Amino acid sequence: MRTILVTGGAGFIGSNFIHHLLQKYDYRVVNLDKLTYAGNLDNLRDIQDDPRYRFVHGNICDSQLVGRVMAEVDAVVHFAAESHVDRSIVDPGAFIQTDVYGTFVLLEAARQRGVERFLHVSTDEVYGQSLPGQRFTEDDPFRPRSPYAASKAGGELQCRAFIETYGLPIVIARPANNIGPRQYPEKAVPLFITNALDDQPLPVYGQGLQVRDRLYVEDHCEALDLLLHWGELGEAYNISADNERPNIEVAETILELLEKPKSLIRFVEDRPGHDQRYSMDSAKMRALGWSPRHDFTAAIEKTVAWYRENRWWWEKVKSGQYQEYYQRMYGRRLAEAKPYEG
Ligand code: NAD
Ligand code: DAU
């Protein structure tokens, strides 16, 4: 039986991926997670007693711990990161630490161990924003624009160095904007849904005209599964769903699905350096036999249904320190917001 190290497995995509792996394969999974504000063991509570699953509470920057964990695994899927753009604007240091240095610590331990494969989860944000008509392919240059995106680019460049210098068997994924169950409600979609369920305002940045490609998390997990097993070593793969939508349309759709009034929408002060659009060509990924099963409508409907049915999950998450975060990020902005005029 193979043993896979998943880093950041208590977060949104990592926990969905662990569920996917344990459902489909007879693998052992070791989940190394620091349990930052975004890490949540509730995300894994249905599999916590599975004998094939082991949780290790720790930091990917801790080289001694990482060395010990690496000694028992055959392959690595690396999700652990500080992942929220707005937090990176307020406090970029934590992003450099985890997303760049932490990635280096993992790569070095993987090299010492001689792992079979290292799947690095990067992001479409490394390319920077797409200009009108522009769709990035894997050979396009990196032009990251936020501290988060620059940190992810830094982590990915470490991977590139380990491929070229040491021949480490790395495959790189560059996924689009995921939505689905168990996403921390700092990200736009779960924030809009949970606010709407509580009849609270939906803070849409600027005029809501920025565009994101919404990839359903299960589709993403299927793509990562393919890359873990069949991705060509040393290669990077765009994972996009062709579900590009402006944020205002996403907010309106959520309100329609929940039968809530559009007057809940508020246009608030924009994110500094806000990337207008991300758009990627995923022909290389699709040539491996992958295609997303969810169009935008199916993805958003399933996502809204999950939050409607799992109030216990997000009410717990939105208590305590989340309230301080929300007040800090949105208090003044909402007080100065412009109303929606349809
Ligand atoms: P998330 O914020 O929900 O989860 C991150 C997890 O990493 C948490 O469980 C956290 O506790 C853990 N973590 C953070 N720092 C750590 C450290 N130093 N040591 C160990 N664990 C640590 O993130 P997510 O949305 O699930 O994203 C997962 C990965 O996918 C990230 O690398 C992110 O950059 C990338 N990505 C995310 C999206 C998206 O739309 N969410 C899209 C493209 C790429
Ligand atoms: O594209 C991949 C990236 O997607 C990942 O690498 C990141 O980890 C992930 O956080 C996500 O980044 P975004 O910045 O696109 O996601 P976010 O949910 O923060 O914002 C989505 C869009 O919604 C963006 O245009 C900003 C806007 N927005 C966001 C928030 C939090 C709002 O209008 N209001 C909000 O309150």
Side-chain angles (χ1 to χ4, degrees):
M1 196 195 295
R2 296 177 83 203
T3 303
I4 315 286
L5 169 61
V6 174
T7 70
F12 164 48
I13 306 173
S15 63
N16 279 285
F17 188 68
I18 291 176
H19 281 93
H20 173 92
L21 276 187
L22 291 176
Q23 266 160 30
K24 190 162 166 197
Y25 300 102
D26 200 14
Y27 289 165
R28 283 198 193 92
V29 173
V30 179
N31 172 17
L32 173 60
D33 198 297
K34 183 180 165 188
L35 298 182
T36 67
Y37 75 91
N40 183 351
L41 291 180
D42 278 345
N43 292 346
L44 299 152
R45 70 176 192 171
D46 53 329
I47 52 131
Q48 67 189 2
D49 297 325
D50 187 319
R52 299 171 301 157
Y53 170 73
R54 188 162 90 81
F55 175 63
V56 178
H57 184 195
N59 190 337
I60 58 165
C61 300
D62 178 346
S63 55
Q64 287 195 349
L65 172 67
V66 168
R68 282 199 301 277
V69 171
M70 199 65 76
E72 59 177 290
V73 307
D74 304 304
V76 180
V77 185
H78 174 34
F79 294 99
E82 290 293 339
S83 69
H84 192 38
V85 173
D86 292 326
R87 287 187 195 252
S88 83
I89 293 167
V90 178
D91 178 18
F95 288 71
I96 305 291
Q97 196 58 27
T98 290
D99 302 9
V100 184
Y101 181 70
T103 298
F104 157 73
V105 169
L106 283 165
L107 290 168
E108 182 58 9
R111 177 169 85 90
Q112 300 292 343
R113 163 72 176 159
V115 295
E116 289 167 20
R117 250 166 205 259
F118 188 110
L119 175 56
H120 176 73
V121 183
S122 183
T123 172
D124 58 4
E125 298 201 16
V126 295
Y127 297 117
Q129 61 182 352
S130 303
L131 301 173
Q134 189 177 28
R135 297 188 92 198
F136 295 117
T137 67
E138 287 80 357
D139 295 330
D140 276 308
F142 286 4
R143 292 199 177 88
R145 289 166 30 98
S146 72
Y148 162 73
S151 306
K152 292 296 289 183
E156 197 185 320
L157 289 174
Q158 289 296 323
C159 292
R160 181 57 51 200
F162 273 70
I163 292 167
E164 302 295 345
T165 309
Y166 307 115
L168 198 69
I170 301 174
V171 178
I172 294 164
R174 294 189 192 134
N177 199 292
N178 281 228
I179 59 172
R182 300 189 283 268
Q183 185 170 31
Y184 192 85
E186 64 187 349
K187 308 285 166 35
V189 166
L191 188 144
F192 291 172
I193 297 171
T194 54
N195 278 16
L197 282 164
D198 275 349
D199 299 306
Q200 293 298 311
L202 277 58
V204 173
Y205 293 166
Q207 294 298 305
L209 299 178
Q210 289 81 12
V211 172
R212 297 292 182 267
D213 182 5
R214 311 287 174 169
L215 169 67
Y216 194 61
V217 67
E218 275 173 24
D219 290 330
H220 183 201
C221 289
E222 284 176 9
L224 294 176
D225 177 349
L226 264 178
L227 293 183
L228 176 62
H229 294 93
W230 304 108
E232 198 176 325
L233 299 182
E235 293 294 312
Y237 293 83
N238 293 341
I239 309 177
S240 58
D242 294 343
N243 286 337
E244 289 182 32
R245 294 287 187 287
N247 296 325
I248 186 65
E249 191 180 323
V250 174
E252 288 169 343
T253 306
I254 288 168
L255 291 167
E256 277 159 25
L257 288 169
L258 291 172
E259 297 176 342
K260 300 284 184 179
K262 304 269 169 64
S263 56
L264 282 176
I265 291 174
R266 301 282 190 287
F267 291 119
V268 301
E269 182 186 276
D270 210 346
R271 172 186 283 175
H274 196 166
D275 285 343
Q276 177 62 32
R277 173 171 161 257
Y278 302 127
S279 186
M280 293 186 298
D281 182 321
S282 60
K284 189 171 169 183
M285 186 70 232
R286 289 168 195 247
L288 284 183
W290 174 83
S291 59
R293 295 174 201 270
H294 298 80
D295 63 10
F296 175 72
T297 304
I300 197 76
E301 280 179 5
K302 275 197 182 181
T303 304
V304 167
W306 189 86
Y307 286 89
R308 194 175 2 208
E309 288 155 21
N310 290 279
R311 196 173 252 279
W312 70 272
W313 182 91
W314 58 264
E315 280 189 341
K316 212 164 144 187
V317 169
K318 282 185 113 171
S319 62
Q321 60 174 343
Y322 179 91
Q323 289 304 324
E324 284 164 38
Y325 168 81
Y326 193 80
Q327 197 46 39
R328 196 165 65 244
M329 300 303 272
Y330 296 100
R332 180 188 58 76
R333 277 164 145 176
L334 279 168
E336 296 170 355
K338 294 194 183 66
Y340 174 82
E341 282 163 3

